[in-house]
Amino acid sequence: MLMFGNAKEPYMQEWMVGPLPISSQTKAQPLTFLSTRKSDNKLRVYNSDFEAARKFNEKIKSQAANAIKTLWNVNPDAVSMTTVSPTQVDSGNVTVWQGFIASPSGRYDTGTLLPLGLYVKSNMTGRDPSKWKIEGWLYNNIFYKTTDEFNKALS
């Protein structure tokens, strides 16, 4: 699987290489004949800029710093975030849900088993991270449309 992150619309695609061992006969080409997927077996990637996504997550955590301290009595660095559902694409808008998880405390801990019950909905449409925004918070089965509304509810 190769990722083409610099394309206008980033994607991943399976490739085949052979015959092996490498020789003058070896070729590399997209693997398309095993797929039922249209568009040459390309899988669209909506978050190809991992550094921009990391910085956006830090921004989210800084906006949630008061909530993190209030709910779990830890600083934002003590929690992590993970995408908890498939990315939703609707009319060109890219919606991402992420959950806060306790950071693993040991070698064999797994973040997926340590959810904290706080989720954030973000619009991460486009490749310009300055246009990404938080669209709401979900905690204790209550959805808050803004960070201010969420923080006020915790006060």
Side-chain angles (χ1 to χ4, degrees):
M1 184 69 77
L2 297 177
M3 183 165 155
F4 297 85
N6 285 338
K8 184 177 180 181
E9 292 188 356
Y11 64 94
M12 292 190 311
Q13 185 179 37
E14 290 183 277
W15 278 58
M16 62 181 179
V17 177
L20 297 175
I22 295 176
S23 69
S24 61
Q25 307 280 317
T26 303
K27 296 179 183 178
Q29 61 189 28
L31 177 63
T32 58
F33 63 88
L34 293 177
S35 177
T36 59
R37 187 176 285 136
K38 295 179 182 178
S39 72
D40 296 329
N41 201 24
K42 293 179 181 177
L43 179 62
R44 181 72 163 86
V45 176
Y46 292 95
N47 59 347
S48 66
D49 190 340
F50 299 118
E51 181 62 16
R54 186 193 64 76
K55 287 179 181 177
F56 185 65
N57 286 348
E58 291 302 317
K59 177 181 170 183
I60 291 171
K61 287 193 336 184
S62 73
Q63 290 186 24
N66 179 57
I68 291 168
K69 183 71 173 167
T70 301
L71 295 171
W72 306 298
N73 197 29
V74 296
N75 68 43
D77 294 334
V79 298
S80 300
M81 296 171 59
T82 185
T83 302
V84 293
S85 67
T87 300
Q88 178 184 352
V89 182
D90 186 25
S91 300
N93 289 314
V94 178
T95 302
V96 177
W97 278 95
Q98 292 175 288
F100 286 75
I101 56 174
S103 294
S105 59
R107 184 177 187 166
Y108 299 105
D109 283 353
T110 176
T112 59
L113 297 178
L114 304 169
L116 297 173
L118 174 60
Y119 303 90
V120 61
K121 177 183 178 185
S122 302
N123 183 318
M124 296 177 74
T125 302
R127 296 191 67 148
D128 181 357
S130 69
K131 295 180 181 176
W132 298 349
K133 60 185 183 255
I134 296 170
E135 293 190 331
W137 299 86
L138 180 67
Y139 181 71
N140 203 19
N141 235 12
I142 300 170
F143 183 77
Y144 303 92
K145 291 182 180 179
T146 67
T147 303
D148 289 339
E149 183 184 341
F150 175 56
N151 282 324
K152 188 182 283 187
L154 292 176
S155 300

